[in-house]
Amino acid sequence: MNTNIESNPLLDRLPKHLKQFIKPQDYSDYTPINQAVWRYVMRKNVDYLSKVAHRSYLEGLKKTGIEIDNIPSMYGMNRILTEIGWAAVAVDGFIPPNAFMEFQAYNVLVIASDIRQLEHIEYTPAPDIIHEGAGHAPIIANPEYAEYLRRFGEIGCKAISSDKDYQMYEAIRLLSIVKEAEDTPQATIDVAEKAVEDLQNNMGELSEMAQIRNLHWWTVEYGLIGTVENPKIYGAGLLSSIGESAHCMTDQVEKFPYDITAAQKSFDITKLQPQLYVTPNFAYLNLVLEEFANKMALRTGGLSGIEKLVNSNALGTIELSTGLQISGVFTNVIEHEGKPIYIQTTGKTALASREKELVGHGTATHAEGFGSPIGKLKGINIAIEDMSPKDLNAYSITESNSVKLEFEGDITVEGEIITGSRNLQGAIILIRFKNCTVTHGETILFQPEWGIYDMAVGKKVVSAFSGPADVNSFDLITHMPSSTTIKAKHTAERDDLEVLYQTVRIIRESKDIYASLAPILHKLKKDHPKDWLLAVEIAELLKNRNETQLLDEVLNHLEDLKQKRPEIAHLISGGLDLIFRPIITL
């Protein structure tokens, strides 16, 4: 099976810092048991979801190349997704929220290529190919929803995080891994669950990222569409969980009309959701997203935007009214009468305009940080950026002049102007000084011994957002996850069972009506008495062959299993229901 990821032109557009999360999908890693798990879930889903999912679900399965009988390959999905303007990549479990959303902004679907174990066939907290491939992929075939997903990614990746957001990401990633891994001691799971619970109870004021993740959860992952009285499913978390897709339609789950208040409603990834939100249509999702975006620092800027960046302690960008963009780790802002009058970054900083780094103003030039006044000059109604050449001459703001600029809020810049930089509209965005001293009252912010001083020009901060303006300005290839997914263990018993699953799979696919199933069934009962899914698959073949005597033996075995393992009785019944009642096919 071809495992190349170079099968969709959209992937070539991805920046390097996103490509670091991509891993090859080794299709040979999928075992016969994995394939049987996929097939069982998909048969159940298509049968049930055809009644309760949005109409785009079944149509989307066809358009995205998702098959019932086989786990999808990235190569095949990308070839088909190209036709609807999307691509898919494989990743290892959860990736940071900003990166996940940025992939969406590039019309790329992120798919955790691992698949849940048979023991977790109904639900796993870990992202897997059932959730991503069979959950997310079908709905993006709906153009209106696909645009919402892209737009959400475009806005969401600019949301400003807090320190606790990244702690939560790491804690949830670890919990999903240990809960999905086989034979994890309960004590280990308890510790991981407590870490997530402690963070959930102590997040403080929700950051922009926390709020937009809530919106993502209640729409993209767990969204319902239609009316509160008669909702349909479109969220990937529901579409991929044979347990929760049924549970969510009961009166045990409270339904609310979707609106912006969902941004304040946090979720617990380890439990069934006690409430869900219903959007009237996909277009309404974009209205709520825009309503939320209008409150983000991305669009409001100002003092609060800079303060969010300072509190995040992470790489971010502010944009001034001249279009100058300053990217770095913001560590301080001086304010006066509720407005920022001086900003400061620490460490590598880059200056840009229109998302393109200004020549000579990369991190090599500003390796130790960047500081600049913001606002208007004291007692002068016209801002520097709005001054005509005549005005600039009048205030001696020209090359080779020594000048003392006194800003509102008691910030003073005094030095000799070397040169200035202008934007495409001709407005000054940067002034370079030598022999420069910058003060705030009695406090020295910059002194001549430190070298050349670059002063940003802008009367206000119009935007503040996460990440750099120009992704090429910084080395963003830094992803070092605290944990990696744990593969299923290879044991002699497991390998023996895999052979039996593979044998049955070959018989079904080859339509070999003469191959005897009796030896397989007897070996299964003798050596693997707890396994139920293969017995269900054998029953399906026997029913199709009309081999009633051996079929009765299988059914008796499964009935016995239901008594001995009541926790899986409903799964056995569900599988048999598909066999003895016609199921919907794609």
Side-chain angles (χ1 to χ4, degrees), residues 324-518:
L324 180 68
Q325 297 166 315
I326 304 164
S327 300
V329 177
F330 288 81
T331 51
N332 190 32
V333 57
I334 301 173
E335 58 106 357
H336 175 69
E337 296 181 349
K339 296 179 181 179
I341 57 171
Y342 196 89
I343 54 93
Q344 180 69 54
T345 67
T346 300
K348 292 181 178 180
T349 304
L351 308 183
S353 180
R354 294 188 174 187
E355 289 75 51
K356 186 172 179 59
E357 184 181 293
L358 297 179
V359 175
H361 290 285
T363 58
T365 300
H366 304 289
E368 303 301 321
F370 181 85
S372 177
I374 295 168
K376 293 183 177 181
L377 297 172
K378 188 188 301 181
I380 300 176
N381 288 330
I382 188 169
I384 293 177
E385 66 197 75
D386 298 324
M387 289 182 178
S388 67
K390 184 177 180 181
D391 295 324
L392 293 170
N393 269 319
Y395 294 109
S396 300
I397 306 176
T398 55
E399 283 85 347
S400 302
N401 276 339
S402 292
V403 65
K404 183 177 183 179
L405 302 176
E406 297 182 61
F407 288 83
E408 294 174 346
D410 205 16
I411 301 285
T412 301
V413 178
E414 187 171 6
E416 184 180 338
I417 297 176
I418 300 173
T419 188
S421 301
R422 297 176 182 270
N423 61 20
L424 289 175
Q425 287 71 40
I428 294 178
I429 60 174
L430 200 66
I431 299 176
R432 174 163 281 194
F433 294 83
K434 63 181 179 181
N435 301 321
C436 187
T437 301
V438 183
T439 58
H440 174 230
E442 301 298 318
T443 303
I444 295 176
L445 301 175
F446 191 91
Q447 53 194 26
E449 293 80 10
W450 296 353
I452 300 298
Y453 181 71
D454 289 296
M455 185 188 83
V457 176
K459 57 190 172 187
K460 62 182 179 179
V461 176
V462 297
S463 181
F465 54 88
S466 175
D470 185 338
V471 295
N472 297 310
S473 295
F474 295 83
D475 178 13
L476 301 175
I477 315 298
T478 57
H479 179 58
M480 295 292 290
S482 62
S483 49
T484 55
T485 52
I486 301 170
K487 304 297 183 184
K489 298 175 182 177
H490 280 282
T491 64
E493 181 183 358
R494 173 78 176 221
D495 290 345
D496 183 62
L497 183 59
E498 294 281 10
V499 171
L500 296 181
Y501 269 87
Q502 179 64 8
T503 304
V504 170
R505 181 176 175 84
I506 290 171
I507 291 171
R508 185 181 65 249
E509 291 181 343
S510 64
K511 297 181 174 59
D512 184 355
I513 62 173
Y514 299 107
S516 177
L517 294 165

Side-chain angles (χ1 to χ4, degrees), residues 99-118:
F100 181 88
M101 293 185 190
E102 193 174 357
F103 270 110
Q104 288 182 190
Y106 281 92
N107 281 29
V108 174
L109 191 63
V110 174
I111 295 181
S113 57
D114 289 330
I115 186 168
R116 67 194 64 178
Q117 295 182 63
L118 175 55

Side-chain angles (χ1 to χ4, degrees), residues 153-173:
E154 193 172 54
I155 292 171
C157 70
K158 300 295 186 182
I160 300 172
S161 301
S162 69
D163 279 341
K164 287 190 175 180
D165 289 327
Y166 198 78
Q167 293 176 38
M168 178 62 83
Y169 154 69
E170 291 280 13
I172 288 177
R173 178 180 167 86

Side-chain angles (χ1 to χ4, degrees), residues 19-38:
K19 289 182 178 179
Q20 70 181 309
F21 296 102
I22 301 173
K23 73 167 192 176
Q25 180 199 32
D26 188 348
Y27 202 87
S28 63
D29 279 351
Y30 298 123
T31 70
I33 294 179
N34 293 153
Q35 294 284 2
V37 167
W38 169 271

